[in-house]
Each structure stands twice: as structure tokens, then as C-alpha cells.
Amino acid sequence: MNTTDITALNVEQLRQYCIDLERQSSILEQRCTLLEQRNAHLEKLNAELTAKVNWFMEQFKLAKHRQFGASSERTVPGQKQLSFFNEAEKEASSEPVEPEVETITYTRKKRKGHREALLKDLPVETIEYRLPPEEQVCPNCGGRLHEMSTEVRQELKVIPAQVKLVKHVRYVYSCRRCEREGTSTPVITAPAPSPVIPGSLASPSAVAYIMNEKYVNGLPLYRQEQQWSRLGVELSRQTMANWVVYAAERWLEPLYERLHQELLKHDILHSDETTVQVLHEDGRPAETQSYMWCYRTGRHGLPIVLFDYKTTRAGKHPKKFLSGFKGYLHTDGYSGYD
């Protein structure tokens, strides 16, 4: 084989080698494109799954809060238990970082009678401390001591709730003369106030106390049941619930209707509605949304605030509630008020 044949062979091998390299490069480019596409797809899928996991976690937290939480007892985000018991100890630090402060010296005239003005409506109990007569002797000369002045210290005294049983005894009277003469004998019974609930232990003060604890102080009936037990009275939450319903129907509904009549006499009213959920409502699932409509008077005149519970947000509800009202109604942009 001559030199020309060898050169031609090398060129052919080199050309074939370049073709193979181009083929491999094309295959690698295709694989790289496929991997990039797959990577983009996996990144998109991972983002979707992460969003779903976060959504499910949020729903799980909300479900736990609805099941176990209480609206009046807020928890700190990230904590599992309430912190109102040990808040001071937790937030305290042995080496607190204090901000730099500027010392300013000035004098201020003390307001006289400020504390007395704050305490003027409280009942006062006075406890006096005197020396017994045998000790009212001067230690120097043995003469008789006299009252020169007094030192007064004030403190607030708290009287915890207490329960007592009140017996209403009505005396019944008859005429002995009529009994002796055999004529009709009149029987007269001393008047007494009617019971709140016939055949019940309920009193006006007890029912008012329970309703105030529940609706003003936010204390549920099951906690009030424990509170009554600590006072020595076994009063079930079912009994208290019956008292509350009875009082609402007999005491508060007439007052509500009277306030409703007075509210409609004003010429400026305000109204708004908000969603509420009612548990154990007949014929409706617990997660169904209902609405609490609020109506109140304006700034001037008798302040009246009334709530009207309805199952829908339909405009027929304010139309019915405000029937007979003539004036200006201040609301938001909800079309139901039109």
C-alpha cells in the first residue's frame, strides 16, 4: 500500500469519526432537551403538591380550632396551648435589653380628690381601731390620753359570690268567730311575689346572674355548672339552659318588641349583616351559613341596638324589619338594601 492509499484511509476514518461525533452530540442534545422538559414538569408538579399540602394543613388547623378552640381564648400562632397563665414568666428576662432613655425632671401639681372621685359610688365599710381604756395612759407622766387625730388607709374589699336559699312563707288567715258560729269562714292568704318559674328554684337574681355570666362575661353554661358546684349547689347546665330560654321569651321579648317600636320612630338608622353558624339547628347542617342583621339608631337620641337572626341574606328581611320606618338608612353597598 502506497502513501496515497494510507492518506485516503486516514481521511475516511476521520470523516467517519466526525460523523459519529455529530450523531452522539445530536443524541445528547435530545436527551438534554428531554431532561430539561422533565425537570420543568417535576418542578411544576412539586409546586402544585406543595400548595395542596399547605392548603390541607391550613384546613386541618381550622378544623381543629373549630372543634377544640374557643373564640374568646386566642392562642399565639405557633403555640399549641394557651399562654395566658404563664405569659408574665415567659416574657420576663433576667437580662432584658432596655432602650436608652432620656431623664427629664419636672414637677406636677397633684390632683386632689381624684381617687375619691373614682371611688365615690362604692359602699363604704369603716373599721375603727382604738386603744382600750386601760392603755390610754401616757407612758411619760401617767396622765390620761385623748384622741388627737386619725390615720386613714383605704383598700378595696372583694366579696365573692355566695348562694343562699330564700324561703317564701305565706301565712294563711281565717276568722275564729265565723268558725264558732258555723257561718262561711273566709280564708285570706298574705300576698307574696309570684315565682319566676312555677315549681322551680329560679329567682330573678339567679337567672339574671346566669345570663350575665354567659352573654356579658362569655362564660359557657358547662363552666357555670362547675362554678355552682364549687358554691355547694348542683345545678345542671340543662336546668340553666331552660331558665335562659324561659327568661328570654318572658322577659326580653317584650322589651325587644318595645325597643323595636321606638327604633322605627327615628329618622336615621344604621344597618349591617354578618355571617354566623348555628349548631344543632333543625333541618340544617352545622356548616350552613346564616346571617345576623344588626340595626341601630344614630348618634342622637335614645341609643338602641337590635339584632335579627335570619337564615338567608335576602333583602326581604330588612324590608320586613323596617316596615313603617321613614327616614335615612345608612348601609354598605349590598344591593339587598335597595
Side-chain angles (χ1 to χ4, degrees), residues 1-54:
M1 181 179 296
N2 54 28
T3 305
T4 303
D5 295 335
I6 295 174
T7 302
L9 180 61
N10 292 337
V11 171
E12 181 63 21
Q13 290 177 346
L14 183 60
R15 187 179 65 82
Q16 187 64 35
Y17 181 74
C18 291
I19 293 174
D20 294 336
L21 288 177
E22 290 178 355
R23 185 182 300 110
Q24 293 178 4
S25 176
S26 177
I27 294 174
L28 292 176
E29 289 179 356
Q30 293 176 0
R31 291 184 62 184
C32 182
T33 302
L34 292 175
L35 290 175
E36 290 178 350
Q37 295 175 353
R38 184 179 180 184
N39 182 64
H41 174 71
L42 291 176
E43 289 181 350
K44 181 180 178 181
L45 182 62
N46 181 65
E48 293 176 353
L49 292 176
T50 301
K52 288 182 179 180
V53 169
N54 292 334

Side-chain angles (χ1 to χ4, degrees), residues 263 266-272 293-296 318-319 321-322 325-332 336-338:
L263 180 133
H266 287 68
D267 57 353
I268 297 178
L269 296 180
H270 300 258
S271 180
D272 197 8
W293 299 75
C294 178
Y295 305 89
R296 69 155 297 150
K319 183 177 180 180
F321 189 90
L322 297 174
F325 166 70
K326 295 181 180 181
Y328 295 94
L329 181 65
H330 186 185
T331 70
D332 55 17
Y337 291 107
D338 294 338

Side-chain angles (χ1 to χ4, degrees), residues 40-314:
H41 174 71
L42 291 176
E43 289 181 350
K44 181 180 178 181
L45 182 62
N46 181 65
E48 293 176 353
L49 292 176
T50 301
K52 288 182 179 180
V53 169
N54 292 334
W55 184 84
F56 281 118
M57 289 298 297
E58 186 65 24
Q59 295 301 313
F60 176 72
K61 292 179 181 179
L62 291 175
K64 288 187 64 178
H65 178 74
R66 284 193 295 267
Q67 183 177 4
F68 303 107
S71 59
S72 62
E73 295 176 352
R74 304 294 185 185
T75 56
V76 180
Q79 294 184 1
K80 297 181 180 180
Q81 296 181 352
L82 300 174
S83 61
F84 52 81
F85 285 114
N86 62 339
E87 181 180 5
E89 290 81 358
K90 179 178 180 299
E91 298 299 331
S93 174
S94 59
E95 296 180 358
V97 180
E98 298 288 347
E100 295 183 359
V101 296
E102 179 181 0
T103 302
I104 301 178
T105 304
Y106 66 97
T107 59
R108 181 180 64 181
K109 184 178 180 180
K110 183 178 180 180
R111 291 182 294 174
K112 294 183 178 179
H114 179 64
R115 175 183 292 183
E116 287 71 16
L118 294 176
L119 306 177
K120 64 182 179 62
D121 295 328
L122 294 179
V124 178
E125 174 186 354
T126 302
I127 303 177
E128 296 180 344
Y129 304 92
R130 286 187 169 91
L131 290 175
E134 61 272 14
E135 295 184 11
Q136 297 181 14
V137 179
C138 177
N140 292 335
C141 67
R144 186 71 177 175
L145 297 179
H146 71 280
E147 294 180 357
M148 181 184 66
S149 63
T150 59
E151 295 180 358
V152 180
R153 174 174 61 90
Q154 297 186 126
E155 62 184 19
L156 293 174
K157 179 180 180 180
V158 178
I159 303 176
Q162 58 180 348
V163 181
K164 66 171 61 176
L165 185 64
V166 179
K167 293 184 178 181
H168 296 270
V169 181
R170 300 179 64 186
Y171 286 88
V172 181
Y173 300 86
S174 65
C175 178
R176 293 192 180 279
R177 179 178 179 181
C178 292
E179 292 175 356
R180 288 194 302 266
E181 296 178 356
T183 61
S184 61
T185 303
V187 177
I188 302 176
T189 304
S194 300
V196 174
I197 305 175
S200 171
L201 290 173
S203 68
S205 62
V207 178
Y209 176 81
I210 292 171
M211 297 181 73
N212 182 77
E213 287 293 288
K214 176 171 174 57
Y215 296 106
V216 178
N217 296 332
L219 191 65
L221 292 180
Y222 78 91
R223 291 189 179 177
Q224 293 194 49
E225 182 180 20
Q226 300 169 359
Q227 187 181 64
W228 281 90
S229 179
R230 289 190 293 269
L231 293 173
V233 180
E234 298 300 328
L235 190 62
S236 69
R237 71 192 75 173
Q238 291 78 14
T239 299
M240 287 187 284
N242 293 336
W243 292 2
V244 169
V245 173
Y246 184 92
E249 294 175 349
R250 299 298 181 93
W251 297 355
L252 298 185
E253 280 192 10
L255 178 61
Y256 181 92
E257 295 301 329
R258 177 62 176 162
L259 290 174
H260 188 189
Q261 297 173 6
E262 293 296 324
L263 180 133
L264 296 178
K265 296 179 182 179
H266 287 68
D267 57 353
I268 297 178
L269 296 180
H270 300 258
S271 180
D272 197 8
E273 77 289 337
T274 185
T275 58
V276 294
Q277 284 188 343
V278 180
L279 300 179
H280 310 299
E281 190 173 14
D282 293 339
R284 306 187 73 206
E287 63 273 10
T288 304
Q289 276 193 351
S290 300
Y291 289 87
M292 187 68 75
W293 299 75
C294 178
Y295 305 89
R296 69 155 297 150
T297 56
R299 177 180 301 177
H300 304 288
L302 180 67
I304 300 176
V305 181
L306 297 179
F307 293 90
D308 189 31
Y309 169 76
K310 297 297 179 183
T311 56
T312 67
R313 201 188 182 196

